[in-house]
Amino acid sequence: VAVASLLWAVRFWVRPSHRIQWPPVCWGALVFATYGLVRYATADVEYVARLEALRILVMAWLFFIVLNNLHRHRNNDLLVNVLLTLGVLLSLYALVQFLSGSNRVLWYVRPEQYAGRGSGTYICPNHLAGLLEMLIPVALAALLLGRGSPVKRVLLGYAVLMMLAGELATVSRAGYLSCGLALVGMAVFLARYKNFRWAALGFLALTLLAGGWFLWKNPTSRQRFIEKAQPGQPHDLKVRWYLTAATARMWLDHFWFGVGPGHFDVRFHAYRPVAIQQRPLWAHNDYLQLLAEGGLVGGVLGIGTAVLLGLGVPVTWRYVRRAQGGLVTKRSDRAAHVLGVSVGLSALAIHTAMDFNLHIPANAAVAVVLAASLASHRRFSTRRFWVRMRLPGRVLLSLLAAGSAAVLLPQAARQYREGRALEIARNTPYADEQHAALQEAVRVEPANAESAAKLGEFYRLESWEGGDNWKVLAEMALEWFERSIKLNPFDPHPVLKAGMCLDWLDRHEEAAAYFDRAVELGPNNYYVALLRGWHEIQVENYPEAKRWLERSIEIKSWANYAAYNYLALVKQRLEEQAARGAPVNP
């Protein structure tokens, strides 16, 4: 994107007559991107805000570059063909995964929860479903409405069938719902026109019958729908509701401007409901997450931009369709593209209310490219959105492109080096290599609080081995945990680990303050309650330790083995104290 922005700027100087398109949606995109960059400057945790601001910057440039450089018919066809080819290849890979039962994505092993489902080259199958639901309507509209040779139509038909099969292989409930609703809406719309009525309704009927048969025959898909209504299951609807309610509280507490770009995961600890002990990372509802991170101002700007894009579709449709007396009489590639992209983006808009597709860069980029391509068709309705760039405009655009490239290119290199170092640290079995990799990660990116905490944990574990330099290592660990706390003051985990180091150094009074702070940051976190009880064991306050360990088990009664083991130990110590007649509360 950085290179493309520079090439675009050069194009203005090589060809001064080059014009840009500026439909109303461009104002929304520009203001929203500007707001995101401004909020980055005021964010609490610089590292995560910077990553989010970089994504916003990349997507904004991508939108304007596609809108103004890939709008010609030949380029548009090439764009669609590349995306549909990608969709078909990923669908074929997903079918191989689904039919063979493979849980691998290239050389990676997916989490066990995705077993039995196809995901293509995504890790999560839901995100492949998000991609395909955008592309299936594009291919289907081109097949039904577009012009072309018989060979092209056969290839389009094959693409539709393969991507529908890939969508089914994902076993994504939200994907099924959003894609199904989009195809129903598309069929109802085309039923207005006699030319396409029976083809659209016939295809819809066959698709629904095939999808229903698959759901009935496939045990994985049936089980996932059954789990949705079973309390206590990981996919229980109540769990999603708890997450939604927590996100809404986060937004209401920061109503106007939100918690900051990328800060949902950072601030979630304070809003965590007891029912959710995993790290959700995202709100699983991009609209609510936008409100939580950007506040009402960011929500209005982001959703308003999408509304501006949608408002241009009916106007564009009237000019791109070939109509006579209200009946479409001729095929039109332009009409097919406008209809297909509109329906595809509508499907994603439905899905994104139940997932986080727009926080997956691959899907966000495809959505932005399709949105820009759709907006470019507004030129067929009027010429007033063409703007000739005079000298001041060309200078401004060149400066913006150069400035963005100066930011994006070094950041890309830095993120690559940091990611590579963290990958080595995560996978190497050797302590020396892990240590060197973590040191490299914090050297390349000193603002990452999680890397600092990982290095602190490395030193803490080394200290607990009990070597001659255990005290020095504990002090070093404490120093890195303090650094992590300074970089991200909302995460209770480095606070807990700093408290453990202080207990290890027999500085129990100082440790107590850290554990109390951790409880304030994560009041409903089972691990916080567990280590709070562990601290009380260190000072032999067994009644208080018992209370906190029971609280940990109350929050999470399953797979909480440490809490059960420590609680058994505490009960044994209390019995020994009672047998000796010693005071229970020292």
Side-chain angles (χ1 to χ4, degrees):
V1 168
V3 172
S5 67
L6 292 174
L7 291 175
W8 186 26
V10 170
R11 186 178 185 185
F12 282 100
W13 296 103
V14 173
R15 187 169 176 239
S17 62
H18 176 60
R19 298 178 299 170
I20 66 169
Q21 298 183 79
W22 198 265
V25 67
C26 292
W27 289 111
L30 179 63
V31 175
F32 178 70
T34 302
Y35 177 74
L37 297 177
V38 170
R39 281 297 285 125
Y40 155 67
T42 60
D44 294 310
V45 182
E46 190 273 340
Y47 177 75
V48 296
R50 185 189 344 136
L51 294 183
E52 188 69 13
L54 289 170
R55 294 187 188 104
I56 292 172
L57 182 62
V58 165
M59 296 305 166
W61 271 113
L62 186 60
F63 177 82
F64 290 115
I65 289 168
V66 172
L67 173 65
N68 289 286
N69 295 276
L70 295 178
H71 57 269
R72 294 185 181 277
H73 182 69
R74 181 184 299 175
N75 293 334
N76 196 65
D77 274 354
L78 177 62
L79 181 67
V80 169
N81 291 337
V82 168
L83 289 176
L84 295 185
T85 301
L86 174 67
V88 169
L89 292 175
L90 293 183
S91 296
L92 289 170
Y93 188 21
L95 285 171
V96 170
Q97 293 167 325
F98 178 78
L99 295 174
S100 67
S102 172
N103 206 28
R104 300 185 70 87
V105 175
L106 303 178
W107 49 87
Y108 294 99
V109 178
R110 296 183 302 183
E112 191 59 33
Q113 68 195 77
Y114 301 137
R117 302 169 62 190
S119 65
T121 52
Y122 292 84
I123 296 297
C124 177
N126 296 337
H127 302 143
L128 175 61
L131 174 71
L132 295 180
E133 71 200 16
M134 285 189 283
L135 299 182
I136 290 170
V138 175
L140 180 59
L143 175 63
L144 295 178
L145 273 73
R147 296 180 295 175
S149 65
V151 173
K152 178 181 178 181
R153 303 180 71 75
V154 168
L155 291 175
L156 284 171
Y158 176 80
V160 171
L161 292 176
M162 286 298 99
M163 289 192 289
L164 281 171
E167 183 83 21
L168 289 174
T170 65
V171 196
S172 169
R173 293 159 301 191
Y176 290 174
L177 177 63
S178 55
C179 189
L181 289 176
L183 292 179
V184 169
M186 185 175 181
V188 170
F189 180 81
L190 288 177
R192 300 164 52 203
Y193 303 104
K194 292 181 179 179
N195 308 58
F196 310 111
R197 179 176 301 161
W198 296 114
L201 294 178
F203 176 83
L204 177 64
L206 289 174
T207 301
L208 293 179
L209 286 172
W213 179 84
F214 176 83
L215 290 176
W216 179 255
K217 291 294 185 180
N218 182 252
T220 303
S221 58
R222 282 206 315 272
Q223 184 62 29
R224 279 178 57 77
F225 277 93
I226 291 171
E227 286 178 353
K228 205 74 173 173
Q230 288 183 343
Q233 292 293 328
H235 304 293
D236 179 12
L237 277 172
K238 289 183 180 178
V239 174
R240 188 63 61 89
W241 166 250
Y242 293 140
L243 183 58
T244 298
T247 309
R249 289 198 307 274
M250 187 186 299
W251 167 43
L252 293 175
D253 286 348
H254 306 83
F255 184 75
W256 291 106
F257 303 108
V259 295
H263 275 52
F264 171 81
D265 182 55
V266 169
R267 302 297 292 269
F268 179 73
H269 303 284
Y271 297 89
R272 178 191 303 277
V274 170
I276 300 178
Q277 291 304 306
Q278 304 95 328
R279 182 180 180 181
L281 295 173
W282 297 278
H284 291 68
N285 181 323
D286 283 337
Y287 301 110
L288 264 180
Q289 184 158 344
L290 175 61
L291 289 169
E293 294 185 346
L296 183 64
V297 175
V300 168
L301 292 176
I303 298 173
T305 301
V307 170
L308 286 175
L309 178 68
L311 290 176
V313 172
V315 179
T316 304
W317 175 256
R318 290 200 298 268
Y319 287 89
V320 297
R321 70 183 177 95
R322 297 183 174 187
Q324 191 173 46
L327 302 178
V328 176
T329 56
K330 294 183 179 180
R331 295 178 177 274
S332 168
D333 288 339
R334 293 170 182 170
H337 189 75
V338 169
L339 178 62
V341 171
S342 300
V343 174
L345 292 178
S346 298
L348 186 70
I350 297 170
H351 195 169
T352 203
M354 298 169 278
D355 221 317
F356 49 96
N357 273 290
L358 294 181
H359 284 84
I360 302 302
N363 284 2
V366 172
V368 166
V369 167
L370 291 177
S373 180
L374 177 62
S376 72
H377 282 68
R378 190 72 186 272
R379 70 188 187 276
F380 296 112
S381 65
T382 178
R383 296 180 61 85
R384 62 192 178 94
F385 298 133
W386 283 105
V387 178
R388 187 177 298 280
M389 294 287 282
R390 303 194 182 278
L391 181 61
R394 296 201 297 271
V395 171
L396 177 61
L397 181 69
S398 300
L399 291 175
L400 289 174
S404 297
V407 171
L408 292 174
L409 293 174
Q411 284 294 324
R414 178 188 289 187
Q415 287 185 35
Y416 170 76
R417 294 199 306 272
E418 181 196 20
R420 185 171 179 272
L422 290 175
E423 184 78 6
I424 293 172
R426 183 165 47 247
N427 295 322
T428 182
Y430 305 109
D432 290 345
E433 290 183 4
Q434 183 185 17
H435 182 220
L438 287 173
Q439 283 188 319
E440 173 67 10
V442 295
R443 184 191 67 79
V444 171
E445 185 48 85
N448 189 343
E450 291 194 16
S451 295
K454 288 176 182 177
L455 188 55
E457 181 68 357
F458 176 87
Y459 288 129
R460 185 189 71 82
L461 293 175
E462 288 289 303
S463 173
W464 281 32
E465 291 293 327
D468 293 337
N469 62 339
W470 70 269
K471 191 170 185 178
V472 174
L473 290 171
E475 294 285 358
M476 293 173 66
L478 183 59
E479 180 182 339
W480 281 103
F481 287 132
E482 291 284 6
R483 179 171 174 177
S484 178
I485 294 168
K486 185 176 180 181
L487 292 170
N488 179 5
F490 304 104
D491 188 354
H493 293 94
V495 181
L496 287 171
K497 296 306 177 75
M500 294 178 76
C501 288
L502 290 169
D503 272 332
W504 184 241
L505 292 167
D506 289 328
R507 294 156 61 180
H508 299 300
E509 290 186 7
E510 295 178 63
Y514 278 80
F515 285 104
D516 289 341
R517 175 59 180 156
V519 171
E520 292 177 8
L521 293 172
N524 289 329
N525 188 320
Y526 88 97
Y527 191 65
V528 171
L530 165 64
L531 290 188
R532 184 69 176 81
W534 176 88
H535 164 72
E536 298 299 340
I537 294 176
Q538 310 311 306
V539 296
E540 300 183 355
N541 188 354
Y542 298 120
E544 191 69 5
K546 180 174 179 292
R547 184 174 75 86
W548 281 106
L549 293 170
E550 288 175 342
R551 168 62 176 163
S552 178
I553 293 171
E554 178 187 355
I555 295 173
K556 184 182 179 184
S557 58
W558 70 98
N560 193 358
Y561 307 114
Y564 282 108
N565 292 336
Y566 279 125
L567 183 60
L569 173 64
V570 165
K571 289 179 178 178
Q572 180 182 346
R573 296 288 172 82
L574 287 172
E575 291 174 359
E576 292 173 356
Q577 285 185 349
R580 294 197 308 266
V584 174
N585 195 354

